[in-house]
Amino acid sequence: MSKYSRRKFLLYGSATLGTSILLKACGDATTTTEGGEQTTAGGETTASSGDTIKVGILHSLSGTMAISETTVVEAEQLAIKEINANGGVLGKQIEAVIEDGASDWPTFAERATKLIDQDQVVTVFGCWTSASRQAVLPVFESKNHMLWYPVQYEGQECSRNIFYTGAAPNQQIEPAVQWLLDNKGDQFFLVGSDYVFPRTANTIIKEQLNALGGEVVGEDYLPLGNTEVTPIIAKIRAALPDGGIIFNSLNGDSNVAFFKQIQAAGLDPERYPVMSVSVAEEEVRQIGVEYLEGHYAAWNYFQTVETPENSSFVDAFRAEYGADRVTNDPMEAAYIMVYLWKQAVEAAGTADDLEAVRAAAVGQQLDAPHGPVTMQPNHHISKTVRIGQVRSDGLFDILYSTDGPVDPIPWNQFVPETQGYACDWTDPDKGGKYRI
């Protein structure tokens, strides 16, 4: 934890300076030069003047979510550093302006506004929680700007101003529920943090279990950052006296207390398997593998994925940040989204015309560390689905994997209100939500 705190301090220091200390190759950029400003089709002004292109990085480097988001910043910085070392984008170096959302949703909105209006970045890579994403969404939509979002989420959203590189529910939550029904039982206790992602995810899970013959025996929530998990554990014991499945959508520091206390209470993974959708290798490392060994997680990427691209990614990350470091799914999604943005900019021939970049982003393909991905017309990417089990070294044994990428479905087909709806930003008659 001392290493983690030191790293967080260094990253936070870089945020207050406004640029990453790792991006040594970047030159100084002014926000405007004579004739250097350009206006997007939506009327917003951005600038990629001189030898640099400014991008924003907006994540929590402090507060309860820093346990997860700090490493996502590192992955984005690594991608930028690699791109700069290989000639940059359109012959220009990327300059990152880093802001700390501080695990506070109004702060995210304020920092997003600053990045767009004051720093004049051409895009923002940012957010983790759906609460932070929803806080900045009105900013990006009102200014017709662009956010790249790297974390699995609850769906039920499809914005023309956001590119989502994490999983939609049909690429994580729904396959996890099906796998549990097939392999672990049909009684579920739902535990989550008290905000939009866990509540919406659990709505989807309840509809799915209702359709497939499963049963929800209990459901409870903790305020984000709260560590008072003893009452929830008592409810789990009462609802599942002989064991059963715990579906966990807690985020941030709450997971530390949760896994330590379920072990202390004797809820072992054989009788009480926990399936998590926000706990990956980095969280295992920081919570302690002794508390998580034997439990499960659903993701698209694990460090143990065997592809040449993943070997290169893991080696590069460890070379940059330390041989003892681990990689995880949100980090991989953050890393590849920088490359997908680069490809879109190069295809458009401009970083400033955001309409052109948006159009060029659809259809971009990449051999990502976890497998091939394609940006779809709904601004989400196709992804391979995997289920893993925590092993003694803190990594995951991959127990299940789809044969290839699964296409994303933002509007959930189990929830009655969104059944039969889809999203297609390449067709003006369809847009963000249309009936199939």
Side-chain angles (χ1 to χ4, degrees), residues 355-371:
E355 293 292 346
V357 175
R358 255 192 290 270
V362 175
Q364 291 299 325
Q365 297 180 328
L366 186 69
D367 288 328
H370 91 269

Side-chain angles (χ1 to χ4, degrees), residues 5-26:
S5 300
R6 179 176 180 272
R7 184 173 72 255
K8 183 171 73 173
F9 172 78
L10 289 172
L11 280 168
Y12 184 75
S14 71
T16 61
L17 290 172
T19 58
S20 164
I21 60 174
L22 294 173
L23 303 179
K24 298 175 183 176
C26 293

Side-chain angles (χ1 to χ4, degrees), residues 318-399:
R318 286 177 164 175
E320 189 68 33
Y321 299 111
D324 63 334
R325 296 296 305 280
V326 294
T327 55
N328 64 28
D329 184 285
M331 291 162 64
E332 190 246 11
Y335 177 80
I336 66 172
M337 75 183 180
V338 181
Y339 277 96
L340 288 167
W341 166 80
K342 169 187 179 288
Q343 290 179 190
V345 168
E346 291 175 339
T350 174
D352 294 293
D353 187 342
L354 303 192
E355 293 292 346
V357 175
R358 255 192 290 270
V362 175
Q364 291 299 325
Q365 297 180 328
L366 186 69
D367 288 328
H370 91 269
V373 302
T374 303
M375 182 60 69
Q376 302 295 329
N378 57 25
H379 288 190
H380 297 66
I381 62 175
S382 52
K383 309 192 78 168
T384 301
V385 180
R386 294 180 171 93
I387 307 292
Q389 184 177 30
V390 182
R391 63 193 198 192
S392 59
D393 62 356
L395 301 180
F396 285 81
D397 277 329
I398 298 172
L399 306 181

